[in-house]
Amino acid sequence: MKKALGMLLVFMLILGVLAACGGNTETAAPSGSDATEQQSENTNDDATKPTFESRTIALGHATSDSENSHYHQGALKFKELVEEATDGQVTIEIHPNGVLGGEREMIEAVQLGTVDMVFTSTGPVGNFASKSNAFDFPFLFRDREHAYKVLDGEIGEEVNQQLESAGLKVLVWAENGFRNITNSTHPIKTPDDLKGVKIRTMENKIHLDSFRQFGADPTPMAFTELFTALQQGVVDAQENPLSVIIPNKFYEVQDYLTLTGHFYSPAPLIINKDLFDSFSPELQDVITKAAEEMRDFEREFIYQQEQEYLKIAEENGMEIIQADEYDFEAFFEAAQPVYEKYADEYGDILDRIIATE
Ligand code: EAX
C-alpha cells in the first residue's frame, strides 16, 4: 500500500506538476487543437481582420506644433488612431506651422489633390462653399453645446454636401474656438476703442464686414503672414481663440487681450473627396471613426486648456479685459447691420441655427 500510495503520490504529484505548468496533458494534448483553434481563431481573426494597402496620407495645418496647440494635438490623435487601426499600414504625415501654405492655399491644394487633408478654421472655407459662412456671423452661437448641436446635426451636414460638390469632404467639424481681440496699443472695451484700429481678419467676408461695423480698419490676411505683420506694425490687432493666441506666442507682439468671444470658429478636418472615395470601405470606416474620436478629444482638449492659456497670457504680461469688463451690448448692437446685409443670402439658415436647441 505504502509503495502504492507512494506511487500514487508520485503520480498525483506528476499530475500536480503538469497542472501547475498549465501544460496539463489535456491542454497540452488539445493545445494543438487549442492552438489550431487559437490558430484558427487567429486565422479567423486574421481572416476577418481587414488588411490595408500601405499608404501615407499628408495632413497640413497652419498653427504651431507645440504641446498646447489644439490642431497639432488633434492631428497627432488622429494619426495615432489611424495607424493603430491599420497596424501601421496607413500612416498620417502631419505638416504643421503652415509649411504647406496658408489655410486658403491648403484647401485649394486639397481640392486639387496635391495635398490629401487639411485641418483648418472656417475662415477661407466660405470661398469654396458659401453656406459655410453661416457659421461665421458675430455673436451667433450661445455656447459650445449650441455650436456642436448645429455642426454635428442637419445644418452641418447641409454645408458638408455643398463642400462635397466642390471636391472637399468634411470628415468632422472640430473646434478652433471662441475668438477674442488682441492689440498692441490700448485696452479695447467698446466699439469706439476699435475706431481706426488696423486689425487683421481671416479671408472671410462676414468677418471683414463685422469689423467694419465695429468701427475698425480690417485687413484680410493669411494666418501664415500674421505674426510678422504684427511684429512690423503692418497691423495693430488681430482676433483669434486662446487656443491660437497662446501656442503661437502672440503675447510676444500683443499687449492687450479682450475676451469678447465675438465669433465661434469651427474647424473642419477636410480630405480630398476623390481620395476618400478611392479608399476601401474598411479604410473609410477607420478614417471616419478616427476623425470622430479626434473631434471629441480636441474639443475637450481646448476646454481643459482654457485656464492654462489665460495663465500664460498673464504671465507674459498681457493685460486681460474679462468678458464682463467689455461692453457686450454695444458690440452686439454694432453687429446687427451684418445680419441685415446678408438676410437674403443667409437669413433662413441663420434662423435655423438660432432656433437649434
Ligand atoms: O485656424 O487664420 C486664423 O486666424 C485661424 O484662426 C487660424 O489659422 C487657425
Side-chain angles (χ1 to χ4, degrees):
M1 183 55 166
K2 233 192 202 151
K3 195 160 169 256
L5 277 177
M7 298 239 336
L8 182 60
L9 184 59
V10 172
F11 185 64
M12 296 296 287
L13 280 172
I14 293 169
L15 273 181
V17 171
L18 286 174
C21 49
N24 65 33
T25 49
E26 286 84 25
T27 47
S31 65
S33 60
D34 285 3
T36 39
E37 256 167 42
Q38 192 62 46
Q39 272 152 5
S40 62
E41 264 168 29
N42 286 351
T43 42
N44 288 350
D45 280 0
D46 291 349
T48 53
K49 207 167 164 200
T51 55
F52 299 92
E53 200 188 311
S54 171
R55 66 167 70 231
T56 298
I57 299 174
L59 188 167
H61 71 82
T63 65
S64 126
D65 56 356
S66 62
E67 279 194 2
N68 59 3
S69 166
H70 57 335
Y71 288 177
H72 199 62
Q73 295 311 314
L76 286 173
K77 184 69 174 177
F78 179 70
K79 173 181 172 67
E80 173 202 318
L81 294 166
V82 171
E83 293 178 3
E84 202 177 287
T86 63
D87 291 332
Q89 287 304 309
V90 178
T91 55
I92 305 293
E93 206 176 65
I94 304 170
H95 300 270
N97 297 309
V99 291
L100 300 180
E103 292 184 340
R104 183 175 46 70
E105 287 168 298
M106 284 192 279
I107 299 169
E108 265 163 21
V110 171
Q111 192 176 43
L112 294 170
T114 52
V115 171
D116 302 321
M117 298 182 70
V118 60
F119 199 175
T120 174
S121 71
T122 42
V125 175
N127 303 312
F128 300 84
S130 60
K131 275 190 180 171
S132 153
N133 282 328
F135 300 144
D136 296 314
F137 277 74
F139 305 109
L140 175 63
F141 292 101
R142 298 181 295 273
D143 51 32
R144 282 186 162 87
E145 283 61 40
H146 178 204
Y148 300 164
K149 282 210 182 83
V150 169
L151 294 164
D152 304 345
E154 278 170 25
I155 298 172
E157 187 48 36
E158 196 181 316
V159 177
N160 294 352
Q161 290 313 315
Q162 197 185 40
L163 279 163
E164 289 209 5
S165 51
L168 299 164
K169 180 171 178 62
V170 175
L171 291 168
V172 288
W173 291 92
E175 181 162 289
N176 193 6
F178 280 101
R179 303 177 77 91
N180 307 298
I181 299 172
T182 67
N183 84 96
S184 56
T185 53
H186 59 277
I188 290 174
K189 295 184 178 178
T190 67
D192 282 353
D193 295 331
L194 264 177
K195 282 238 165 339
V197 171
K198 286 184 293 179
I199 186 165
R200 175 267 179 180
T201 70
M202 295 195 287
E203 297 147 299
N204 182 292
K205 65 181 185 182
I206 311 296
H207 285 201
L208 272 170
D209 277 336
S210 300
F211 273 94
R212 286 195 188 102
Q213 288 300 331
F214 293 154
D217 171 9
T219 306
M221 185 189 293
F223 182 75
T224 41
E225 296 159 28
L226 178 51
F227 192 91
T228 311
L230 290 166
Q231 216 168 24
Q232 295 173 349
V234 176
V235 288
D236 311 314
Q238 67 89 45
E239 45 85 52
N240 249 298
L242 293 171
S243 53
V244 172
I245 293 168
I246 302 304
N248 295 278
K249 299 186 176 7
F250 282 4
Y251 44 76
E252 291 177 357
V253 286
Q254 299 276 268
D255 307 314
Y256 302 92
L257 164 63
T258 307
L259 300 177
T260 47
H262 52 276
F263 298 124
Y264 174 80
S265 208
L269 180 66
I270 299 174
I271 189 168
N272 172 278
K273 184 170 180 326
D274 293 342
L275 174 65
F276 183 83
D277 294 347
S278 74
F279 290 165
S280 67
E282 290 79 13
L283 183 53
Q284 289 182 353
D285 191 47
V286 164
I287 296 280
T288 305
K289 285 208 174 74
E292 287 164 357
E293 198 172 326
M294 180 284 283
R295 173 201 58 205
D296 300 344
F297 162 85
E298 193 258 4
R299 286 174 174 175
E300 182 61 20
F301 177 86
I302 294 172
Y303 184 69
Q304 295 301 336
Q305 287 283 329
E306 205 95 314
Q307 293 314 312
E308 183 58 25
Y309 289 147
L310 284 172
K311 195 160 135 276
I312 296 170
E314 220 150 33
E315 282 164 1
N316 287 278
M318 290 192 100
E319 182 180 327
I320 302 178
I321 294 92
Q322 298 294 339
D324 58 3
E325 291 173 334
Y326 90 100
D327 190 344
F328 166 76
E329 278 77 26
F331 272 93
F332 187 83
E333 276 321 303
Q336 296 319 301
V338 181
Y339 284 82
E340 286 143 27
K341 176 178 178 180
Y342 290 101
D344 295 347
E345 190 177 357
Y346 293 102
D348 166 60
I349 192 170
L350 289 173
D351 288 346
R352 288 185 284 128
I353 290 174
I354 293 165
T356 301
E357 290 297 338

